[in-house]
Amino acid sequence: MNQIIQRITSVFFYTSPLKTAFPFGYYLLYKFSFLKILFFLTFPVAILEKSLPFGGLLFFFIIFAGVVRNPKVPYFIRYNACQSLLLDIALIILTYLLRIFPLIEFGSIIFISTLSIFIFSAYQCLNGVEPEIPLISKSARMQI
């Protein structure tokens, strides 16, 4: 039972980068209506971030200080939480870069990539395997 809770909790952390990638995929979400199901997956994260002032920043610090840096939390959860935070940071940086250089097509690629990473990571977590994402996984291990 404990393993199942760890796996589901790890999948929950990956909904944060998926929520961050939504602005990149508005065209695809409009064109393919079945993708709107993803909004329901990210709804708990959106509620947490919107209910508090500076909710996104507080959410980040709570996960980083309360989960990633807490040795009492199992390694599997800490690793996935750190990896999702690093993905979120990468998406935030890409958001600022796309504001400087507006390339609409690149936004769709970012959304599809993030959705692929979410599906891959969720599948791996539910199977109890640490997802290996190039560049991100190595950085996550260094943080833990």
Side-chain angles (χ1 to χ4, degrees):
M1 185 65 169
N2 195 19
Q3 286 282 337
I4 295 170
I5 293 171
Q6 287 182 19
R7 292 175 184 185
I8 292 172
T9 304
S10 295
V11 171
F12 170 74
F13 288 124
Y14 288 104
T15 59
S16 179
L18 184 61
K19 183 194 154 299
T20 305
F22 277 150
F24 295 116
Y26 273 121
Y27 173 73
L28 294 172
L29 291 169
Y30 176 74
K31 188 164 177 125
F32 304 105
S33 60
F34 68 90
L35 289 175
K36 292 179 183 174
I37 295 170
L38 299 173
F39 279 119
F40 295 112
L41 292 174
T42 62
F43 197 65
V45 174
I47 289 174
L48 288 172
E49 288 182 357
K50 300 278 186 211
S51 63
L52 300 169
F54 302 107
L57 187 62
L58 283 174
F59 185 69
F60 175 83
F61 282 123
I62 288 170
I63 290 177
F64 186 73
V67 177
V68 174
R69 292 291 185 182
N70 188 352
K72 294 178 184 174
V73 176
Y75 178 80
F76 187 73
I77 293 175
R78 290 172 51 208
Y79 170 78
N80 288 303
C82 185
Q83 193 159 261
S84 72
L85 288 178
L86 290 172
L87 283 168
D88 227 353
I89 292 169
L91 285 169
I92 291 169
I93 292 170
L94 286 172
T95 301
Y96 287 121
L97 287 175
L98 282 179
R99 286 184 184 165
I100 296 170
F101 308 107
L103 301 170
I104 296 170
E105 299 82 15
F106 192 62
S108 296
I109 292 170
I110 291 172
F111 177 74
I112 292 170
S113 299
T114 305
L115 180 60
S116 301
I117 289 171
F118 172 76
I119 292 169
F120 170 75
S121 299
Y123 179 77
Q124 292 289 88
C125 287
L126 290 175
N127 286 325
V129 179
E130 295 175 359
E132 288 290 325
I133 302 169
L135 302 174
I136 302 290
S137 297
K138 187 175 181 180
S139 299
R141 284 195 179 88
M142 289 190 323
Q143 289 294 319
I144 299 174

